[in-house]
Amino acid sequence: WQRATGRFVLGMLVVLCLVGMAAPAAGQGQVELTVWSYLDPEDPSVKAYIERFQEQNPGIAVKYTAFPEDDYLDKVRTALSADSPPDIAVIEDKQWMQAGLVVELTPYLEEWGVDPADFAPGGMARATLPDGGIYGIGDHLGGNILFYNKALFDAAGAPHPSLTESMTWPEFDQACRQVGQPNRNPMQAVYGCSVQDWSFDIWSKWAWGEDGKTVLGNLNSDAMVQGYDLGTALVRDGYAPSASIEESLPGGMSDLFAQGKMAMIWSDFTEVAKYQEAGIDFGMGPFVVIEGSESFVDTWTTPWGTFTNSQHPEEALAFLEFMATDAQYIRAETSADPPLSLAVAEEIEWGQGDPIKEDYLAVLQQGKAQVFVPDSFIPVGLYPHTEDEIFRRLTTGGETDAKAILDAEAEAAQPALDQAWTEWDRLGQEGD
């Protein structure tokens, strides 16, 4: 009996030793999923995504790397050139998609039960090619919208801007002049509005047409000329601050608005806390538009995607499925932004009971998809001159004839745009 017991104990020890040898230590045997972006690893949403995803997928360990935003594109391009990209990345360059380097997610979204129509179109367009293929999925919905100071409008007896309908440039001009109080001393001025060099063609189709291929007759249309004429005159006449005044302020135009010295400003939702702390009673609305245009808000997201030569394709797709589903709910818990999925925002009643968030979401409903233009193929830009140079000429450069400038720009830009599309199509053929 003792010999039998001894043999049994010895046998068990051998088995335990073998099991111990076969069993990996904690963390071993996991797939390491590399994720690159320019978002701070301490960002609450990023941390929550990684923690929740790893909880749901114990066999996957996320290795997250954040690069400075100015260096991010070069880092990814270098990795792609070396045939060693990360498994997951923020897909910021549509050339990667067109060249066949990024996995198209359209069939997978259907497999995951995710309807692209549930997501805000302006955000989805960031990772969608002209043929409709979807190559990335975003987590949040950001927007550049109009904020206005209710007290300044009331003091001037001016009607408040609409929450859901854009002002045209003539309407914006009238409101800005009605509430503004120009003064040669910038410290004494109360500006009626802010006018930026990108304000005039913020919706790309105004300059490049519905298909992104026709600049002649669009960039220099009567409505665009009118916008430039009115907007730059507001700067020349002192109703909107010049670029030099903006550059002198640490927080730019946002500082003037927080000080109660500007009645209307372009801003995003991240500035709301600043305005609230300053005691500004503000309202919101969509962007100013050229005459004849529907209302518009420029919206965006962070489009996450994976590359065709990812080392871990199945795990990468699992991460993207998580971003398209669970992350939409997590984002609403960890940031002030609504999720990119408007269906989820409605389901969780995002912002309900918070008048500011409710208004913000109402404004974002005017978000529209941008028209794609392959401008990255032209190093100096599609215009012979950059937007800020055109703006400078019409504000501080002594010129006032917007039509003459825009006619010349459109005439010179059309051949460059045609060439850009030729190169874009060639890139797609190489990718095939």
Side-chain angles (χ1 to χ4, degrees), residues 204-205 207-219 371-378 381-384 409-425:
S204 51
K205 73 172 188 177
W208 313 112
E210 295 282 356
D211 59 0
K213 297 182 178 181
T214 312
V215 63
L216 275 171
N218 286 300
L219 176 62
V371 169
F372 174 69
V373 180
D375 54 54
S376 55
F377 281 100
I378 302 184
L382 288 176
Y383 300 159
E409 297 293 321
E411 186 71 33
Q414 188 63 58
L417 181 60
D418 294 340
Q419 180 61 31
W421 275 105
T422 298
E423 295 295 329
W424 175 261
D425 293 338

Side-chain angles (χ1 to χ4, degrees), residues 347-360:
E347 177 189 338
I348 64 176
E349 298 179 335
W350 186 87
Q352 191 170 86
D354 183 333
I356 293 175
K357 284 188 173 181
E358 289 177 349
D359 283 357
Y360 181 54

Side-chain angles (χ1 to χ4, degrees), residues 196-250:
Q196 306 292 327
D197 52 33
W198 42 260
S199 304
F200 308 101
D201 60 357
I202 183 64
W203 198 356
S204 51
K205 73 172 188 177
W206 295 337
W208 313 112
E210 295 282 356
D211 59 0
K213 297 182 178 181
T214 312
V215 63
L216 275 171
N218 286 300
L219 176 62
N220 60 332
S221 68
D222 290 344
M224 284 287 280
V225 170
Q226 180 189 59
Y228 268 95
D229 279 340
L230 294 174
T232 55
L234 289 170
V235 178
R236 292 195 302 269
D237 296 344
Y239 286 93
S242 65
S244 61
I245 292 175
E246 178 179 8
E247 292 167 1
S248 70
L249 299 165

